């Protein structure tokens, strides 16, 4: 290696590690993500369009409750007036004003959710009049007075009124076992009952109706289910037993609430709504937080104005989640460079392994790789047929692209049987890369023979498998996101690898016969 | 295999690895702007013709589809020839016509083709079908070389070629690649051709490998492979060196064929010659390249440089006698 390269690499590595060490030892920024349960950053983004008249947009906001803490709230109101209204135990965000062309509104917050269990009291005083008036009566959505409802209760032969837990259980079990959840099923309680199946909302409405008909005050709950993907709006039910007990209309929980459910609103199921507008769209985004609130604070607002200014934790949620994965790519490139220039694996396409590993990071490696292999198989066959047609390069590649898209589509249909939604989500991205891979692979078969082409494919898959764990490692993600200066250290290492002129491991294998001067067979 | 032991052995014998070849030789001595001189075969041919370096004679060229109309009658007048892309690589898109049967053109594989077939093939070449990057390409028609019988004796159904690695205008190492049945008549070592190292001084083969194993006889015919003299080797070296001078590249591989009548003829030049030549010669390139660095000065005549290359080769990696 020449001196200049060695020195440049050293400067970059020292710079990266130096800033990193300063932040860690000087300001106590946490190096390792603790990964506490139940910490989320959530953002609701709304886009409305109006024709210039007055209008308003309302969205339910979560309130502090036993299992849920809300903090770090912030809103973007884009030329509208913003206020938070309290209705009973609910908080509603309201934006109002002249709604012109497009307005981008958002509301973000952090929550800490803990699983809560509720003890069923042995003795329960009768619900107050007020409760019964608000949550015990029949209404349009909850037709607890309907004869069909009474019929069900008759058939269930509920335990006597003193045994409230028993009554709750039989009604809960009826909903869980007798009424199916149908995709696209009805939201209406009576239709769901008649069909023995309905939507989640339909089942919740039926559950509320049955409970009310049995004399138990009940109300619906609108919430968010948080997970690896985007949050999903979901509904469940609360029944009054001295306290509000959460009940799942689908049999998922009884008198407890899982820690991935966030209550947005109780008593009504209205989500984001607007008046005086022409179009409204909204979506929730969530991000798992890996740090406790105090640790987060040192990362968000380090006690140093420069670091505060460049802290990535200040960015909007979508940008943050994009950057979190993006910042892992240099690490992948470093591993790739090691494999190619120090070990000497020949791979297809310079960055192909990193990009494929990046795209597969949300799915199971074996599944992802077999899918990639399957699509390449289809693509190479397509390529063989195309070869006979003798087409020009760009149309030929485009047809190959179509074949690859068809292959992926076919896999989606097959994958449906395995309920593998998430493995599919990742693979959509690298279609173009897969196409180029098919092309390169076919060329290699023609030029270097099947054996060499397959060997090279094997090396490519190996490198993908080596990069993959880094691409989905929460520690690595935290490290790169909290200490982006480490990219300089990565660049330094890359300079060193680039200046490495020694033998590659594969050179040793290729030329190993030089080590035994007398023999012939290697 | 003990990696440390192999590492030491490679170091001691001065085997050149890929990393060092790239950084110390191709990146350092082959300026990007000279690459077209070797990537475009027409340009290589043109450079060589002006310098009086023998290459297969150019019989016709078609740059555009509309020129195919003129190409037809030109081809009809020829008996044997080669139709190939100017930007091709790895032997793709090359059609060798060995003779005529009335209107038909017979390829080396024995396939009879019509004039229409040939023009269709030429159209494919012009469309960039065989150019790896898919850039616009030209169809060129050149004289068919006929392998010298002494070379043909040690090859199976194909054209054996000779690769000379030239560094800073001095020949450093050479090998010949001999097609086999396994390689399907192609002079490609990865596909199973034999590679035999050549002693620069005597022009004789010194050792041979086939499928990573050392061999003494041709795997198909049993012909002895060691100690064979390459006809006109001295001329061949001087052609390689002069061609390297023309391209402007400091570290190149020249590929030549020994023709029955014309003797050594330059087929093509390569800006990133592989490292297999070291295995074929059982000798590392580094001692020779370093010796050339010590002795190289501008302005030496071709003959002086040939002598230098031969002396260095004999001093550095005196290949073991193959008795
Ligand atoms: N003029 C020619 N006469 C006979 N054979 C030829 C001729 N040109 C090319 N060939 C054959 O095609 C092979 C590849 O040719 P070459 O010019 O080296 O192309 P590439 O750069 O694609 O390898 C040669 O090894 C030889 O077998």
């Amino acid at each position: 290696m020449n001196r200049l390269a060695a020195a440049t690499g050293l400067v970059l590595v020292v710079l990266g590690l130096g800033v990193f060490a300063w932040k860690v030892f000087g300001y106590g920024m946490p190096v390792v993500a603790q990964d506490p349960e139940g910490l989320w950053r959530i953002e609701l983004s709304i886009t409305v369009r109006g024709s210039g008249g007055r209008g308003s947009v309302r969205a339910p906001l979560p309130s502090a409750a036993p299992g849920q803490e809300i903090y770090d709230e912030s809103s973007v109101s884009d030329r509208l007036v913003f206020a938070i209204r309290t209705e009973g135990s609910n908080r509603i965000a309201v934006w109002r004003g002249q709604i012109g062309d497009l307005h981008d509104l958002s509301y973000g917050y952090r929550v800490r959710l803990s699983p809560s269990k509720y003890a069923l009291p042995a003795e329960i005083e009768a619900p107050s009049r007020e409760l019964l008036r608000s949550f015990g009566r029949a209404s349009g959505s909850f037709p607890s007075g309907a004869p069909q409802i009474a019929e069900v209760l008759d058939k269930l032969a509920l335990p006597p009124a003193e045994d409230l837990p028993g009554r709750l259980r039989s009604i809960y079990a009826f909903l869980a076992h007798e009424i199916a959840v149908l995709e696209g099923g009805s939201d209406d309680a009576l239709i769901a009952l008649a069909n023995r199946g309905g939507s989640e909302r339909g089942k919740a409405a039926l559950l509320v109706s049955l409970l009310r008909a049995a004399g138990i005050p009940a109300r619906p709950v609108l919430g968010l289910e948080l997970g690896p993907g985007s949050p999903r709006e979901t509904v469940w039910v609360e029944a009054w037993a001295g306290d509000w007990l959460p009940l799942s209309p689908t049999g998922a929980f009884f008198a407890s609430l899982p820690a991935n459910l966030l209550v947005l609103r109780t008593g009504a199921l209205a989500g984001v709504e607007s008046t005086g507008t022409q179009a409204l769209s909204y979506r929730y985004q969530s991000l798992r937080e890996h740090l406790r609130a105090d640790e987060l604070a040192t990362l968000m607002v380090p006690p140093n104005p420069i670091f505060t200014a460049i802290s990535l934790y200040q960015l909007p949620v979508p940008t943050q989640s994009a950057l979190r994965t993006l910042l892992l790519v240099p690490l992948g490139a470093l591993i790739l460079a090691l494999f190619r220039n120090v070990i000497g694996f020949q791979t297809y396409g310079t960055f192909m392994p990193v990009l494929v590993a990046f795209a597969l990071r949300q799915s199971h490696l074996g599944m992802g790789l077999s899918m990639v292999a399957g699509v390449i198989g289809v693509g190479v066959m397509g390529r063989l047929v195309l070869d006979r047609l003798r087409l020009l390069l760009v149309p030929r590649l485009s047809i190959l692209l179509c074949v690859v898209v068809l292959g992926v589509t076919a896999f989606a249909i097959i994958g449906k049987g395995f309920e593998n939604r998430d493995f599919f989500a990742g693979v959509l991205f690298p279609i173009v890369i897969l196409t180029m891979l098919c092309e390169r692979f076919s060329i290699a078969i023609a030029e270097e023979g099947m054996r060499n082409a397959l060997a090279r494919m094997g090396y490519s898959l190996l490198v993908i498998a080596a990069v993959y764990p880094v691409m989905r490692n929460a520690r690595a993600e935290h490290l790169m996101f909290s200490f982006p200066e480490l990219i300089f250290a990565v660049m330094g290492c890359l300079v060193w690898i680039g200046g490495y002129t020694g033998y590659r491991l594969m050179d040793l294998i290729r030329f190993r016969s030089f080590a035994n001067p007398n023999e012939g067979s290697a | 295999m003990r990696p440390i032991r192999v590492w030491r052995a490679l170091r001691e014998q001065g085997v050149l690895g890929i990393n060092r070849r790239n950084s110390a030789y191709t990146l350092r001595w082959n300026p990007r702007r000279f690459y077209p001189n070797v990537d475009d075969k027409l340009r290589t041919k043109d450079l060589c013709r002006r310098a009086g370096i023998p290459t297969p004679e150019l019989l016709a060229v078609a740059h555009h589809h509309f020129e195919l109309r003129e190409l037809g009658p030109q081809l009809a007048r020829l008996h044997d020839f080669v139709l190939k892309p100017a930007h091709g690589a790895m032997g793709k898109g090359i059609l060798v016509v060995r003779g005529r049967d009335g209107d038909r053109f017979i390829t080396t594989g024995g396939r009879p083709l019509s004039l229409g077939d040939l023009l269709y093939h030429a159209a494919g070449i012009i469309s960039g079908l065989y150019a790896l990057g898919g850039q616009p390409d030209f169809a060129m028609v050149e004289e068919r070389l006929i392998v010298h019988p002494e070379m043909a004796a040690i090859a199976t159904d194909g054209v054996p070629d000779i690769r000379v690695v030239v560094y800073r205008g001095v020949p450093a190492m050479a090998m010949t690649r001999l097609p086999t049945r396994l390689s399907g008549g192609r002079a490609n070592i990865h596909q199973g051709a034999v590679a035999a190292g050549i002693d620069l001084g005597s022009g004789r083969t010194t050792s041979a490998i086939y499928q990573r194993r050392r061999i003494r006889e041709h795997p198909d015919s049993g012909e002895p492979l060691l100690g064979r003299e390459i006809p006109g080797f001295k001329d061949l070296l001087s052609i390689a060196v002069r061609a390297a001078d023309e391209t402007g590249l400091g570290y190149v591989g020249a590929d030549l064929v020994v023709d029955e009548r014309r003797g050594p003829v330059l087929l093509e030049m390569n800006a990133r010659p592989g490292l297999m030549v070291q295995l074929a010669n059982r000798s590392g390139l580094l001692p020779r390249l370093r010796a050339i660095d010590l002795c190289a000065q501008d302005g030496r005549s071709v003959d002086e440089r040939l002598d230098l290359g031969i002396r260095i080769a004999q001093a550095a990696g005196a290949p073991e006698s193959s008795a």
Side-chain angles (χ1 to χ4, degrees):
Chain A
M1 187 180 324
N2 60 55
R3 289 246 179 86
L4 187 62
T8 311
L10 190 66
V11 167
L12 285 168
V13 168
V14 166
L15 175 69
L17 291 184
V19 176
F20 172 70
W22 184 15
K23 278 166 125 181
V24 172
F25 296 114
Y27 297 107
M29 296 195 195
V31 177
V32 183
Q34 311 279 324
D35 213 1
E37 288 292 308
L39 280 183
W40 297 88
R41 165 112 178 99
I42 295 171
E43 191 156 295
L44 164 66
S45 345
I46 305 175
T47 306
V48 281
R49 184 161 54 80
S51 49
R54 292 194 63 80
S56 69
V57 179
R58 291 172 306 283
L61 300 181
S63 312
Q68 79 188 28
E69 259 177 74
I70 317 288
Y71 52 100
D72 267 349
E73 296 177 80
S74 62
S75 66
V76 172
S77 40
D78 196 10
R79 293 164 286 153
L80 300 182
V81 177
F82 174 74
I84 295 181
R85 215 163 55 209
T86 311
E87 293 175 1
S89 59
N90 293 322
R91 293 192 310 155
I92 312 287
V94 183
W95 290 267
R96 60 169 91 245
Q98 208 89 17
I99 302 199
D101 43 353
L102 281 178
H103 296 259
D104 288 314
L105 315 172
S106 79
Y107 198 85
Y109 42 88
R110 290 193 153 80
V111 294
R112 181 201 192 97
L113 297 176
S114 38
S116 22
K117 272 204 169 315
Y118 300 78
L120 281 168
E123 226 164 283
I124 295 151
E125 12 175 333
S128 69
R129 257 155 191 276
E130 195 161 337
L131 263 175
L132 278 174
R133 199 181 321 120
S134 310
F135 300 113
R137 282 205 238 158
S139 68
S141 316
F142 310 116
S144 53
Q148 299 97 307
I149 299 283
E151 201 180 310
V152 171
L153 288 183
D154 269 355
K155 268 214 214 102
L156 283 178
L158 295 180
E162 300 84 61
D163 183 10
L164 183 57
R167 290 171 82 93
L168 283 173
R169 275 209 183 85
S170 5
I171 297 177
Y172 174 78
F174 172 75
L175 252 290
H177 299 310
E178 310 271 326
I179 311 287
V181 189
L182 300 179
E183 229 168 283
S186 172
D187 287 353
D188 182 88
L190 294 181
I191 297 177
L193 179 59
N195 291 343
R196 294 271 141 175
S199 67
E200 206 180 35
R201 280 170 182 254
K203 287 189 68 167
L206 180 57
L207 181 53
V208 171
S209 311
L210 286 167
L211 290 167
R212 288 187 184 178
I216 307 165
R219 63 185 187 187
V221 181
L222 173 73
L224 288 182
E225 185 183 326
L226 306 172
S230 300
R232 189 177 74 91
E233 272 188 2
T234 180
V235 299
W236 63 92
V237 170
E238 285 179 344
W240 178 259
D243 191 0
W244 286 106
L245 300 183
L247 299 184
S248 157
T250 58
F253 50 86
F254 179 85
S256 68
L257 194 62
N260 67 333
L261 290 182
L262 170 72
V263 178
L264 284 183
R265 160 173 221 164
T266 54
L269 294 181
V272 179
E273 294 173 329
S274 64
T275 50
T277 60
Q278 288 179 324
L280 165 83
S281 73
Y282 68 96
R283 66 177 182 150
Y284 286 98
Q285 276 172 307
S286 69
L287 201 61
R288 249 339 273 277
E289 301 265 36
H290 296 287
L291 297 166
R292 294 197 318 267
D294 55 329
E295 294 175 326
L296 198 60
T298 57
L299 287 172
M300 278 184 68
V301 197
N304 174 318
I306 300 169
F307 290 157
T308 307
I310 59 174
S311 166
L312 300 182
Y313 285 86
Q314 310 272 10
L315 297 172
V317 168
T319 321
Q320 275 192 39
S321 54
L323 275 182
R324 270 177 184 272
T325 41
L326 206 59
L327 285 170
L328 285 174
V329 174
L331 276 187
L334 178 63
I335 296 174
L336 178 86
L338 271 174
F339 269 96
R340 287 188 49 138
N341 286 52
V342 178
I343 295 180
F345 280 3
Q346 298 283 329
T347 59
Y348 290 105
T350 312
F351 286 115
M352 187 282 294
V354 177
L355 295 178
V356 172
F358 182 74
L360 290 181
R361 73 190 182 284
Q362 289 182 346
S363 49
H364 182 256
L365 179 65
M367 283 273 209
L369 284 186
S370 8
M371 160 117 179
V372 169
V375 172
I376 290 171
V378 172
V380 169
M381 305 255 256
R383 188 39 237 243
L384 280 179
V385 176
L386 281 178
D387 239 10
R388 308 220 165 156
L389 301 183
R390 296 156 177 259
L391 303 178
L392 297 188
L393 186 80
V394 174
R396 182 179 80 211
L397 281 180
S398 309
I399 297 175
L400 195 57
L401 183 83
C402 297
V403 172
V404 168
V405 170
L406 274 179
V408 170
T409 313
F411 274 95
I413 296 170
I414 300 167
K416 196 176 67 172
F418 299 103
E419 299 209 1
N420 237 315
R421 282 195 326 191
D422 58 339
F423 116 102
F424 195 66
V427 180
L428 275 177
F429 164 66
I431 297 260
V432 174
I433 300 164
L434 287 182
T435 306
M436 290 319 290
L437 192 54
C438 293
E439 173 76 9
R440 292 223 167 87
F441 186 49
S442 312
I443 291 177
I445 292 175
E447 287 178 354
E448 296 162 31
M450 191 51 128
R451 246 187 59 191
N452 293 314
L454 275 180
R456 195 138 150 216
M457 182 59 82
Y459 291 140
S460 305
L461 294 184
L462 258 173
V463 176
I464 294 175
V467 174
Y468 169 85
V470 174
M471 288 289 155
R472 47 187 272 140
N473 185 306
R475 295 236 161 112
E477 185 183 304
H478 164 78
L479 213 57
M480 294 307 289
F481 186 75
S482 308
F483 306 96
E485 62 274 11
L486 288 175
I487 288 184
F488 288 110
V490 169
M491 279 162 56
C493 293
L494 284 168
V495 170
W496 281 339
I497 294 176
Y500 171 71
T501 53
Y503 295 114
R504 300 176 178 180
L505 195 60
M506 297 304 273
D507 284 344
L508 298 185
I509 293 173
R510 209 169 139 204
F511 295 119
R512 66 185 178 274
S513 62
F514 278 93
N516 10 349
N518 306 316
E519 62 70 59
S521 69
Chain B
M1 183 185 108
R2 271 159 293 164
I4 307 281
R5 200 171 60 103
V6 178
W7 184 291
R8 286 222 189 92
L10 296 193
R11 264 216 115 116
E12 274 160 23
Q13 299 178 53
V15 174
L16 179 62
I18 295 185
N19 285 341
R20 189 177 297 270
R21 180 203 62 186
N22 291 349
S23 69
Y25 298 100
T26 49
L27 270 180
R28 163 112 170 62
W29 291 100
N30 293 351
R32 205 68 235 184
R33 66 176 185 283
F34 292 141
Y35 272 50
N37 289 350
V38 300
D39 287 344
D40 178 347
K41 287 184 182 148
L42 273 178
R43 193 148 160 186
T44 315
K45 210 184 260 300
D46 202 43
L47 284 172
C48 289
R49 210 197 50 225
R50 281 194 226 159
I53 298 166
T55 60
E57 196 167 331
L58 187 62
L59 304 174
V61 192
H63 292 89
H64 305 286
H65 285 276
F66 66 82
E67 290 174 0
L68 288 176
R69 229 179 308 142
E70 293 158 42
L71 191 65
Q74 283 176 311
L75 288 181
R77 265 181 258 128
L78 296 173
H79 177 263
D80 60 336
F81 56 87
V82 175
L83 173 59
K84 65 179 179 185
H87 289 284
M90 319 286 283
K92 273 186 38 161
I94 298 184
L95 210 62
V96 183
V97 172
R98 68 154 195 241
R100 297 284 293 267
D101 177 10
D103 290 350
R104 303 256 141 189
F105 298 81
I106 315 294
T107 67
T108 38
R111 234 174 357 129
L113 297 175
S114 68
L115 186 59
D117 290 338
L118 290 180
L119 292 181
Y120 184 75
H121 186 80
I125 291 175
I126 294 173
S127 304
L129 204 52
Y130 305 102
L132 265 191
Q135 74 264 50
D137 202 350
F138 321 126
M140 53 195 266
V141 179
E142 63 180 25
E143 164 200 15
R144 177 171 79 104
L145 299 174
I146 296 167
V147 186
H148 194 284
E150 273 181 46
M151 296 296 296
I154 46 174
T156 311
D157 339 304
V159 181
D161 67 0
I162 292 127
R163 154 70 56 92
V164 182
V165 176
V166 181
Y167 176 53
R168 299 180 67 181
V170 179
M173 208 179 259
M175 69 168 162
T176 173
R177 291 176 293 202
L178 310 170
T180 63
R181 208 169 292 143
L182 181 68
S183 77
R186 289 195 256 190
N188 183 328
I189 302 168
H190 291 289
Q191 293 189 337
V194 167
I198 302 173
D199 172 36
L200 293 188
S202 64
R204 285 177 189 276
T205 52
T206 57
S207 64
I209 52 163
Y210 169 65
Q211 295 283 74
R212 308 196 52 93
R213 282 189 317 275
R214 299 187 71 183
I215 53 166
R216 288 163 174 279
E217 282 103 32
H218 193 279
D220 300 329
S221 61
E223 279 280 327
L225 290 175
L226 306 186
R228 310 283 301 221
E229 189 173 345
I230 308 294
F233 188 70
K234 200 79 196 240
D235 286 346
L236 188 148
L237 281 187
S238 109
I239 291 172
V241 166
R242 281 188 288 146
D245 292 349
E246 290 307 313
T247 59
L249 299 175
Y251 184 76
V252 270
D255 289 350
L256 300 100
V257 169
V258 185
D259 183 73
E260 195 175 36
R261 294 149 298 154
R262 297 183 58 191
V265 173
L266 183 84
L267 254 197
E268 65 164 342
M269 303 288 287
N270 202 311
R272 269 199 206 86
L275 300 170
M276 214 55 128
V277 69
Q278 303 179 100
L279 275 175
N281 281 281
R282 288 196 59 73
S283 170
L285 269 168
L286 277 175
R288 304 187 187 192
L289 301 181
R290 288 194 180 122
I292 292 172
D293 276 329
L294 285 180
C295 310
Q297 344 171 315
D298 292 336
R300 291 204 195 204
S301 75
V302 171
D303 281 338
E304 280 173 326
R305 284 183 273 148
L306 288 192
D307 282 344
L308 180 61
I310 291 167
R311 262 190 292 122
I312 286 174
Q314 277 165 350
E320 351 149 23
S321 70
S322 46

